[in-house]
């Protein structure tokens, strides 16, 4: 099976712009989670989508949003970029039943976002 | 809230040395525990996991045992190699889509 893929791998944006990142999960996985990794804050959970619905959300401002499509692919969007948004954004997929219990998460290579 | 604490790094070892990276957690429920590894410029790779007390996860010579009484999940390897140099993350999940990570421990193995 192919792993989790993320596009693009690298992005450079300027303050005030917006950006959209894409994640394709492992085939058959219906849960997609997003994380932000920075040297100062480490790995922080952004949100999780399952069957096109946001099921869990971390403590990030409303500038960070996401969505999931019927084929389980997911996108996250950051509007009005700030310098502090520079980070590695990681996507993870897992198989997850309707009970809400999520199995092991498998990560993609990440998208490196630099905000100038 | 739930949290994970790892020993601070960097940890520097000679090849074939014994490795221990300490990890303790606090959780309101009964979480699953994980170790992930991150090589330079890459995403996270699952190293091993355990889902209930006294379970031992193992992979590629690495081992960790879920200790509920001490709320710990220490990572061990009997003989490290240069190729094991990476950042190691301990994490927990209350079986939702949210992983809570420790701060990561950098391991450097010298020949």
């Amino acid at each position: 099976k192919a792993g989790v893929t993320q596009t693009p791998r690298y992005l450079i944006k300027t303050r005030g712009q917006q950006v959209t990142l894409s994640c394709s999960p492992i085939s058959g996985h219906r849960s997609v989670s997003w994380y932000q990794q920075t040297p100062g804050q480490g790995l922080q959970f952004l949100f999780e989508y399952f069957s096109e619905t946001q099921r869990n959300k971390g403590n990030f401002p409303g500038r960070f949003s996401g969505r999931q499509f019927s084929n389980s692919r997911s996108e996250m969007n950051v509007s009005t970029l700030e310098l502090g948004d520079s980070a590695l954004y990681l996507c993870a997929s897992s198989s997850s039943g309707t009970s809400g219990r999520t199995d092991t998460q498998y990560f993609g290579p990440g998208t490196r976002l630099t905000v100038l | 809230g739930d949290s994970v604490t790892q020993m601070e790094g960097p940890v520097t070892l000679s090849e074939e040395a014994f490795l221990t990276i300490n990890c303790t957690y606090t959780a309101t429920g009964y979480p699953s525990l994980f170790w992930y590894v991150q090589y330079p410029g890459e995403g996270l790779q699952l190293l091993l996991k355990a889902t209930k007390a006294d379970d031992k996860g193992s992979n590629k010579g690495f081992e960790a045992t879920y200790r509920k009484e001490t709320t710990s999940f220490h990572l061990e390897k009997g003989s490290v190699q240069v190729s094991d140099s990476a950042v190691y993350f301990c994490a927990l999940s209350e079986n939702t889509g949210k992983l809570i990570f420790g701060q990561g421990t950098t391991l450097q193995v010298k020949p």
Side-chain angles (χ1 to χ4, degrees):
Chain A
K1 274 187 181 178
V4 178
T5 57
Q6 292 186 245
T7 56
R9 292 293 309 276
Y10 302 92
L11 266 179
I12 300 176
K13 294 285 186 179
T14 56
R15 278 181 300 172
Q17 287 187 308
Q18 75 165 17
V19 67
T20 299
L21 312 181
S22 182
C23 171
S24 292
I26 292 169
S27 178
H29 285 187
R30 296 167 63 191
S31 169
V32 173
S33 298
W34 289 89
Y35 297 84
Q36 181 196 65
Q37 185 177 24
T38 60
Q41 299 298 315
L43 281 154
Q44 294 186 288
F45 172 76
L46 281 154
F47 29 65
E48 182 217 7
Y49 285 87
F50 175 77
S51 291
E52 303 178 64
T53 301
Q54 188 180 86
R55 193 161 65 172
N56 287 290
K57 188 176 187 306
N59 296 323
F60 278 80
R63 300 186 297 107
F64 292 82
S65 63
R67 59 178 176 168
Q68 187 179 34
F69 302 95
S70 58
N71 62 357
S72 294
R73 189 177 69 85
S74 177
E75 291 180 345
M76 69 163 281
N77 184 76
V78 189
S79 63
T80 320
L81 284 166
E82 301 177 358
L83 295 179
D85 297 332
S86 294
L88 181 67
Y89 290 88
L90 292 162
C91 159
S93 77
S94 63
S95 57
S96 176
T98 53
S99 66
R101 295 180 66 83
T102 301
D103 204 346
T104 302
Q105 293 186 33
Y106 296 91
F107 284 80
T111 295
R112 173 74 62 185
L113 172 64
T114 302
V115 182
L116 303 176
Chain B
D2 293 0
S3 65
V4 175
T5 302
Q6 288 180 238
M7 64 187 286
E8 290 192 22
V11 174
T12 303
L13 296 173
S14 297
E15 210 166 20
E16 299 184 4
F18 184 85
L19 168 71
T20 300
I21 301 178
N22 290 338
C23 171
T24 57
Y25 69 90
T26 59
T28 52
Y30 200 153
S32 295
L33 302 175
F34 304 85
W35 278 100
Y36 283 88
V37 59
Q38 187 174 37
Y39 297 98
E42 297 184 14
L44 300 177
Q45 295 180 25
L46 176 68
L47 186 57
L48 53 84
K49 70 174 185 179
T51 58
K52 59 183 188 296
D54 300 324
D55 264 2
K56 178 185 282 188
S58 61
N59 186 26
K60 299 180 182 178
F62 291 90
E63 294 183 339
T65 301
Y66 191 143
R67 300 289 188 199
K68 196 167 190 295
E69 65 276 12
T70 54
T71 62
S72 64
F73 193 54
H74 304 321
L75 182 68
E76 297 181 335
K77 186 175 185 183
S79 176
V80 294
Q81 306 300 313
V82 172
S83 57
D84 293 326
S85 299
V87 182
Y88 291 81
F89 292 92
C90 183
L92 71 79
S93 173
E94 298 268 18
N95 297 315
T96 65
K98 176 180 179 179
L99 279 165
I100 295 172
F101 289 91
Q103 65 269 43
T105 301
T106 299
L107 171 65
Q108 294 178 327
V109 180
K110 297 188 174 180

